[in-house]
Amino acid sequence: MADNNFDVVVIGAGPGGYVAAIRAAQLGMKTACVEAGGPSGGLGGVCNNVGCIPTKALLEAAMYARKVGALKDFGVTVGEVTLDLAQAGKRAKQVAGQGSRGVGFLFKKNKVESIEGWARLAGGGKVEVAAKDGTTRTITGKHIILATGSRPKSLPMLKIDEDRIWSSDTAVFPKATPASLAVVGAGAIGMEFADVYNAFGSKVTVIEALPQVLPLEDPESAQVVEKIYKKRGIDVFTGARLEKSEAGKEGVTLTLKDKAGADKTVQAERVLVAVGRAPIIDDLGLEKAGVQTDRGFIKVDDQLRTTAPNVYAIGDCARPPLLAHKAMHEAMAVIEGIAGVGHGMVDYGNIPAVTYCHPEVASVGMTEQAAKEKGYDVEVGVFPFSANGRARTAGETDGFVKIVRDKKYSELLGAHMVGAHVSEMIAEFVVGRHLETTVEDMDSAVHPHPTLSEAIGEAALAALGRAIHI
Ligand code: NAI
């Protein structure tokens, strides 16, 4: 007879949920993790199954597709090149499968009970799990962690049908290369898929309502990427207002007003709607359990406690930013808080953001403008990759490292980067800021030569007015 009483019940097995479950079990708590599964779920959640991981597999494919044309310069001549996006999608699915099985393995290793089904809070620490076969099991948790994640948002005039009008759930496993793709929304999702489909030969158009692509990033970073996208033949409309869409047999016609107020029409075989994600908060029994919501998210306090006793919410369902690494750290903070290990809360001011398009975009901390608005006396240093030896050897000279420092204490207020591998390099700034380093320290720590990371030391010097290589 299954034991239905747990110390911790986690709802959702995405990056927030599975990390919470494993950490709870490590700390000796009897733990269950309930996951509904379905096309965009499963162990590892959206991130592993249809999000972060398979898109990065596609972007890796896009990188090869693009680079193969430049190999001759490197003395490598290849024969006829054929691009097969469906194969790239197949590989992306395999990689996602590995990750999902890995989570299953970790659950077994840590003795987390993995329960498949849709969980609803029933109040008083009870959770009812409805399995696909129609059976229901009631379990209890002394502590309940809601980690239900998010789903793609639609637009009233552009309803996702996953046929002509896609969400990222469909774009991530392409069956063929569409002749043309219109991408609505130039956040991380839109820009990453625009990169992939362009590399594999679709005619891509990006439509963004705000004045720049990647609106949360430094404007200079966004400009570099937009310029490169346009050079690759991607049409980019920023400051555009989408007014109408008409889906027909041949494709979709989008009507928009461009930033000058002129009417434009964009015809595309498929459209990807990438206008953000909505937290999953419905049909969870929240009301029954006394868990309140706030503007679409589950309401939490600064310890991620909901309005119901011993019920917590982490990750996308709790509050922005909707990032896997933020969810994982919230998981650790909540579970270690419950266990009294004293992890401390997540440092929300030091969460890095990365968009894995080519060139990559990464940032942490404040932009120059945000720092000025906060009243800092700011000095900015920029070092371009064109002046970095390693970048030149790799033929990856696009982009820069930009440091925003406060003049008074030389505090590292923010870092903004565009270029190859900056997704890996941003961690140096995160650790530096975590350890409250000064900009001088960022330079005086010896960087190996020749590496892309030298651009960090040089940008630090530039912010101090004494760069060597520019
Ligand atoms: P997002 O919120 O980052 O970007 C959506 C974009 O759509 C915004 O720039 C917005 O101005 C634009 N938009 C909204 N309505 C529009 C309209 N009617 N017409 C034109 N543009 C419109 O959302 P996104 O890219 O869908 O990603 C969802 C979440 O997933 C984000 O929080 C993102 O950070 C996260 N994510 C992170 C990734 C990463 O870290 N690399 C990758 C993918 C997603």
Side-chain angles (χ1 to χ4, degrees):
M1 192 59 188
D3 187 350
N4 290 320
N5 303 315
F6 296 89
D7 296 316
V8 174
V9 172
V10 183
I11 301 178
Y18 82 73
V19 169
I22 291 170
R23 189 68 189 120
Q26 278 180 347
L27 289 165
M29 293 185 263
K30 189 163 173 271
T31 305
C33 185
V34 188
E35 166 59 47
S40 54
L43 299 183
V46 165
C47 168
N48 182 79
N49 291 292
V50 291
C52 325
I53 297 299
T55 50
K56 263 78 270 174
L58 286 183
L59 282 153
E60 200 73 8
M63 183 271 293
Y64 285 119
R66 211 170 269 126
K67 279 211 161 173
V68 72
L71 287 180
K72 213 168 161 212
D73 261 8
F74 288 78
V76 180
T77 306
V78 290
E80 194 196 338
V81 174
T82 52
L83 300 179
D84 183 351
L85 185 55
Q87 168 56 30
K90 223 158 111 186
R91 179 176 175 275
K93 195 157 206 152
Q94 281 162 2
V95 175
Q98 284 163 3
S100 194
R101 286 191 296 280
V103 172
F105 164 79
L106 291 172
F107 276 1
K108 276 206 187 92
K109 179 183 153 199
N110 288 285
K111 302 193 171 48
V112 172
E113 184 168 342
S114 184
I115 302 174
E116 208 180 314
W118 183 261
R120 290 181 188 86
L121 302 182
K126 282 202 197 94
V127 177
E128 280 167 9
V129 184
K132 276 206 195 94
D133 63 8
T135 58
T136 305
R137 175 176 169 193
T138 302
I139 57 176
T140 69
K142 287 184 193 140
H143 304 275
I144 296 170
I145 319 289
L146 298 165
T148 53
S150 62
R151 58 167 74 96
K153 276 188 197 164
S154 233
L155 283 172
M157 81 288 256
L158 195 59
K159 286 250 171 352
I160 292 167
D161 61 13
E162 305 295 10
D163 175 25
R164 290 274 168 210
I165 303 171
W166 294 348
S167 74
S168 54
D169 291 358
T170 295
V172 72
F173 298 128
K175 294 194 177 70
T177 308
S180 50
L181 178 74
V183 176
V184 179
I189 294 186
M191 292 301 276
E192 290 183 357
F193 280 108
D195 182 309
V196 169
Y197 280 80
N198 165 261
F200 277 87
S202 292
K203 170 69 197 158
V204 174
T205 306
V206 174
I207 300 160
E208 166 59 49
L210 291 174
Q212 67 172 59
V213 299
L214 298 174
L216 299 179
E217 293 293 346
D218 179 278
E220 272 184 79
S221 301
Q223 268 165 27
V224 169
V225 178
E226 184 176 334
K227 206 167 142 200
I228 290 168
Y229 272 34
K230 284 182 170 164
K231 222 163 110 186
R232 288 182 188 148
I234 299 177
D235 289 332
V236 180
F237 293 100
T238 51
R241 211 173 70 221
L242 186 65
E243 307 215 300
K244 207 169 75 180
S245 78
E246 271 174 280
K249 268 216 171 92
E250 298 300 307
V252 185
T253 306
L254 302 177
T255 310
L256 54 107
K257 280 230 184 310
D258 73 6
K259 64 176 156 211
D263 292 321
K264 296 265 171 220
T265 52
V266 174
Q267 306 245 337
E269 187 186 316
R270 314 277 157 169
V271 178
L272 168 63
V273 183
V275 297
R277 299 183 58 88
I280 294 175
I281 55 170
D282 45 318
D283 196 20
L284 294 173
L286 297 185
E287 244 173 65
K288 202 165 179 180
V291 175
Q292 290 170 15
T293 58
D294 180 17
R295 279 163 288 181
F297 290 90
I298 294 171
K299 190 173 174 183
V300 287
D301 66 8
D302 56 5
Q303 304 294 308
L304 296 158
R305 290 177 295 214
T306 70
T307 48
N310 301 321
V311 181
Y312 300 77
I314 59 173
D316 288 7
C317 69
R319 60 181 169 201
L322 279 66
L323 295 171
H325 43 285
K326 172 250 184 194
M328 292 181 186
H329 280 264
E330 287 182 337
M332 302 287 275
V334 163
I335 295 298
E336 295 191 7
I338 289 170
V341 176
H343 175 284
M345 216 358 98
V346 178
D347 180 357
Y348 289 96
N350 200 26
I351 297 177
V354 177
T355 307
Y356 299 79
C357 53
H358 300 103
E360 295 178 341
V361 180
S363 63
V364 65
M366 284 180 252
T367 59
E368 183 180 350
Q369 194 189 337
K372 282 182 182 156
E373 280 165 11
K374 285 220 154 152
Y376 286 100
D377 186 9
V378 164
E379 187 150 16
V380 171
V382 179
F383 188 80
F385 280 114
S386 56
N388 172 278
R390 184 64 193 275
R392 287 201 302 269
T393 64
E396 295 280 6
T397 50
D398 287 323
F400 59 81
V401 178
K402 177 174 181 175
I403 286 182
V404 182
R405 86 176 177 104
D406 127 69
K407 275 194 202 156
K408 197 169 174 191
Y409 301 112
S410 214
E411 186 186 345
L412 185 51
L413 297 175
H416 306 273
M417 299 195 273
V418 181
H421 306 297
V422 296
S423 58
E424 301 293 340
M425 288 164 63
I426 194 67
E428 184 172 335
F429 284 112
V430 177
V431 174
R433 282 165 49 80
H434 189 70
L435 301 174
E436 298 183 0
T437 187
T438 62
V439 169
E440 281 81 351
D441 292 328
M442 294 302 289
D443 166 63
S444 58
V446 181
H447 291 86
H449 177 77
T451 59
L452 299 174
S453 68
E454 284 174 291
I456 289 176
E458 284 278 4
L461 286 179
L464 297 162
R466 49 188 165 90
I468 298 292
H469 290 88
I470 40 167

